[in-house]
């Protein structure tokens, strides 16, 4: 007779978790952020607060003799939002921002791709030329531009007049608003392309050669490699560049103001920067100018919000 012994079921072994270590030094990152936050609050907090307070006040002749500005609530904003001229200038500024940023990005990316494939000596020559253009002060840029487009002795009019049947002698490029902003677009793009080109070129140097060789072996054309391989890899660089260009081109001031000094001036030639300057410095309406500046800041935050939102989402996923 055979007896079968059944072993009692053993309880599952209990796995002891290692004790969690307390995070040491977790306060150090926050302590290191204190100087940067303090600098930001001092450098930006006071001007922004001052602008917000002034946007609710009215300045006039009395304030030039030491009288405190009168608190008028939202009257400056109501007057601004019901002014058709302001909305025309705001729309014009947004269109100019989008067009200038798009042209700058396209040309900058093209130069970056060119620097990637040309020989070393020609790449260095191109980089030096772009650095000189980038380093030129705005006043010097505008002086050269005025010399080129001058209606009496301008080089551009002279060269165009050499074409048979074309007579541009005496043509004023700054009289018509469309050509005025076309000249401004060319000047701003010329000064902004080097930054985009160098940034994109730095991103292209990080694209692995093995990835490109794999694409070639799979039969991808150069355009397909650019669209499907290179662009997705350098996408973070492109996103931040587009964001910066939109912000800079929305707040452009010096080039437009100097072009107005060279040629025609008036609301037809204004963008938001020169419009705010005219309200504050030209007309003494500092309250209305502060309200308009707050609107520009809101527009800037709206443009930036997409990128900030993407950063927060990527931070949560990681």
């Amino acid at each position: 007779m055979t007896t079968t012994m059944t072993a009692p079921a053993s309880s599952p072994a209990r796995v002891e978790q290692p004790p969690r270590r307390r995070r040491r030094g977790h306060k150090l990152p926050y302590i290191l952020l204190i100087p940067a936050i303090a600098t930001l609050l001092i450098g930006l907090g006071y001007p922004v607060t001052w602008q917000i307070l002034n946007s609710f006040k009215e300045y006039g002749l009395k304030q030039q003799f030491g009288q405190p500005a009168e608190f008028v609530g939202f009257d400056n904003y109501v007057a601004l939002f019901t002014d058709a001229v302001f909305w025309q200038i705001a729309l014009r500024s947004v269109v100019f921002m989008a067009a200038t940023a798009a042209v700058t990005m396209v040309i900058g990316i093209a130069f970056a791709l060119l620097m990637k494939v040309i020989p070393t000596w020609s790449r260095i020559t191109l980089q030096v030329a772009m650095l000189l253009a980038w380093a030129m002060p705005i006043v010097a840029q505008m002086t050269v531009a005025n010399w080129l487009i001058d209606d009496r002795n301008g080089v551009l009019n002279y060269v165009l007049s050499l074409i048979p049947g074309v007579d541009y002698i005496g043509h004023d490029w700054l009289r018509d608003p469309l050509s005025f902003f076309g000249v401004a677009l060319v000047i701003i793009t010329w000064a902004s392309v080097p930054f985009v080109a160098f940034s994109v070129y730095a991103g292209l140097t990080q694209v692995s050669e093995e990835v490109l060789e794999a694409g070639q072996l799979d039969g991808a054309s150069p355009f397909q490699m650019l669209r499907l391989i290179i662009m997705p890899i350098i996408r973070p660089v492109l996103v931040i560049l587009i964001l910066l260009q939109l912000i800079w081109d929305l707040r452009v001031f010096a080039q437009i103001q100097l072009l107005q000094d060279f040629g025609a001036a008036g609301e037809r030639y204004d963008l938001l920067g020169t419009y705010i300057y005219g309200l504050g410095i030209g007309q003494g309406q500092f309250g209305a100018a502060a309200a308009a500046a707050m609107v520009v800041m809101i527009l800037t935050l709206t443009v930036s919000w997409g990128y900030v939102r993407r950063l927060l989402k990527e931070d949560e996923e990681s």
Side-chain angles (χ1 to χ4, degrees):
M1 174 173 149
T2 305
T3 304
T4 304
M5 302 295 293
T6 304
S10 58
S11 59
R14 184 176 180 181
V15 179
E16 294 185 0
Q17 299 291 338
R20 290 185 177 180
R21 295 182 179 180
R22 291 185 177 181
R23 294 182 179 179
R24 296 180 179 179
H26 64 283
K27 295 182 179 180
L28 181 60
Y30 300 99
I31 295 175
L32 295 177
L33 284 175
I34 291 177
I37 295 175
T39 303
L40 186 64
L41 291 177
I42 295 173
L44 294 179
Y46 173 74
V48 171
T49 304
W50 186 81
Q51 287 280 12
I52 293 174
L53 294 177
N54 281 341
S55 67
F56 296 107
K57 297 179 181 179
E58 182 180 3
Y59 289 82
L61 185 61
K62 294 181 180 179
Q63 281 65 53
Q64 297 182 9
F65 296 95
Q67 294 292 333
E70 181 183 357
F71 183 81
V72 294
F74 289 94
D75 289 356
N76 289 325
Y77 290 95
V78 173
L80 195 67
F81 292 147
T82 55
D83 185 7
V85 174
F86 169 75
W87 288 112
Q88 292 175 2
I89 295 174
L91 178 61
R92 186 186 305 144
S93 300
V94 172
V95 173
F96 182 83
M97 170 196 70
T100 307
V103 174
T104 302
M105 290 299 300
V106 170
I107 298 178
I109 293 173
F111 272 112
L113 294 173
L114 180 63
M115 288 190 291
K116 186 68 176 175
V117 298
I118 59 179
T120 302
W121 68 269
S122 54
R123 181 175 68 249
I124 294 176
T125 303
L126 179 60
Q127 289 175 344
V128 171
M130 287 194 296
L131 280 175
L132 293 176
W134 193 18
M136 183 178 293
I138 293 179
V139 176
Q141 295 174 13
M142 301 307 299
T143 302
V144 173
N146 184 45
W147 172 68
L148 291 174
I149 64 173
D150 185 72
D151 57 342
R152 293 170 297 179
N153 303 309
V155 176
L156 180 59
N157 288 348
Y158 175 75
V159 172
L160 291 176
S161 298
L162 295 178
I163 302 175
V166 177
D167 183 14
Y168 266 82
I169 299 299
H171 178 73
D172 188 357
W173 292 91
L174 303 180
R175 181 182 302 172
D176 181 68
L178 186 60
S179 63
F180 177 92
F181 289 109
V183 171
L185 185 147
V186 171
I187 295 172
I188 295 172
T189 301
W190 177 77
S192 303
V193 160
F195 174 74
V196 176
F198 283 121
S199 301
V200 175
Y201 177 73
L204 291 175
T205 58
Q206 303 303 312
V207 179
S208 175
E209 293 293 337
E210 289 78 7
V211 175
L212 298 179
E213 291 177 0
Q216 291 177 348
L217 292 176
D218 289 338
S221 64
F223 179 75
Q224 289 175 332
M225 292 180 60
L226 176 64
R227 183 173 63 91
L228 301 176
I229 299 177
I230 298 177
M231 287 302 177
I233 294 177
I234 65 173
R235 183 179 178 181
V237 177
L238 297 178
V239 171
I240 188 61
L241 285 175
I242 293 174
L243 174 64
L244 291 175
Q245 284 302 134
L246 290 174
I247 293 175
W248 290 338
D249 295 335
L250 179 64
R251 300 184 300 112
V252 65
F253 166 75
Q255 293 89 339
I256 304 299
Q257 182 64 41
L258 290 173
L259 281 179
Q260 290 182 359
D261 293 339
F262 294 149
E267 63 186 33
R268 295 198 307 159
Y269 308 91
D270 270 336
L271 296 181
L272 284 172
T274 53
Y275 174 74
I276 294 172
Y277 179 82
L279 279 179
I281 304 301
Q283 305 177 23
Q285 301 181 24
F286 296 103
M294 297 310 301
V295 173
V296 174
M297 188 181 72
I298 293 173
L299 284 175
T300 304
L301 292 176
T302 302
V303 171
S304 309
W305 174 243
Y307 177 72
V308 175
R309 185 178 175 183
R310 181 184 297 272
L311 285 180
L312 294 176
K313 185 177 179 180
E314 292 178 354
D315 185 64
E316 290 177 358
E317 292 177 353
S318 60

